[in-house]
Amino acid sequence: MPLPPNPRPRPGQGDARHHTYGRGGAVAYLAAYDVHRAQVFGRCEATTGIAPFMALVEQVMTEPYASDRRVFWIVDNGSSHRGKKAIDRLTKAFPNAVMVHTPVHASWTNQIEIFFSIVQHKVVSPNDFTDLTQIRDRLRAFEDRYNTAAQPFQWKFTTSDLDDLLAARPTPRILHRPGSLNNPRRTSGADD
């Protein structure tokens, strides 16, 4: 049996029965990151999907990228760029483009995700926008500022450094407690 509506709000809470939430829409911010130049190419769209993703690709694949021998697109497994169809679509539109997918649940390995994290913390939080134009303007202004100040990351750890590190490490020892593999609840005992 449903409860009857509360005729009086609690003190200090107002009348929640008459509150309305007006949603003003959403903006999809798509971006690509050139790791060699530390430059972001972004665009605001009304929606996500194949068409907006391919519009971003077209935006990026202008000079100097159009004449590059290969341009690697490191992407997560989002629905607009997942699978063989997405690879074929990209290659057909831009023969020098090579799509590489990050492992599932490993978007953090994609450097644009680091940029999106910065955008989340410095641009869109708190979410106090009055309209979609304000969001778009703030995103584009931040992108312009970022592109002015950003520098490519200079790797200092080389494959030779890795070889030296591995050669200096002792061979790891594997410790095994009798019975611990057969009974996960048993971690130690008098007869170990």
Side-chain angles (χ1 to χ4, degrees):
M1 177 171 177
L3 296 173
N6 186 356
R8 286 186 266 167
R10 289 187 219 152
Q13 287 189 333
D15 189 349
R17 292 178 294 161
H18 298 292
H19 174 75
T20 58
Y21 172 72
R23 193 178 156 135
V27 170
Y29 181 60
L30 289 80
Y33 188 77
D34 181 334
V35 296
H36 296 291
R37 295 177 180 91
Q39 294 293 294
V40 174
F41 301 86
R43 62 186 300 113
C44 294
E45 296 280 351
T47 185
T48 59
I50 294 169
F53 174 74
M54 290 306 291
L56 175 66
V57 171
E58 188 170 333
Q59 173 186 335
V60 173
M61 293 299 289
T62 59
E63 290 304 328
Y65 307 103
S67 60
D68 282 350
R69 189 169 59 90
R70 286 186 306 184
V71 178
F72 290 95
W73 281 80
I74 312 299
V75 298
D76 60 11
N77 289 278
S79 61
S80 64
H81 45 267
R82 177 179 34 218
K84 176 102 171 81
K85 285 184 180 180
I87 293 169
D88 294 343
R89 186 171 38 252
L90 182 69
T91 305
K92 182 179 178 186
F94 301 96
N96 63 332
V98 179
M99 186 177 284
V100 178
H101 290 91
T102 58
V104 177
H105 305 299
S107 290
W108 58 270
T109 61
N110 189 343
Q111 289 193 13
I112 193 64
E113 296 295 340
I114 296 167
F115 174 77
F116 285 147
S117 176
I118 295 167
V119 167
Q120 176 66 39
H121 290 91
K122 294 190 178 279
V123 181
V124 297
S125 292
N127 186 356
D128 58 355
F129 301 101
T130 55
D131 60 28
L132 298 181
T133 302
Q134 189 181 22
I135 298 170
R136 288 185 192 103
D137 291 347
R138 193 180 298 177
L139 286 166
R140 296 310 307 238
F142 180 78
E143 182 182 314
D144 291 342
R145 182 173 180 207
Y146 184 91
N147 284 339
T148 302
Q151 296 291 318
F153 184 77
Q154 299 297 318
W155 290 100
K156 297 185 191 294
F157 192 82
T158 66
T159 56
S160 297
D161 294 331
L162 179 61
D163 291 340
D164 293 344
L165 180 67
L166 292 174
R169 282 176 65 185
T171 304
R173 293 181 355 163
I174 299 173
L175 300 177
H176 172 69
R177 252 185 227 161
S180 62
L181 293 177
N182 295 332
N183 184 355
R185 298 178 79 195
R186 180 178 172 202
T187 56
S188 64
D191 56 338
D192 282 354

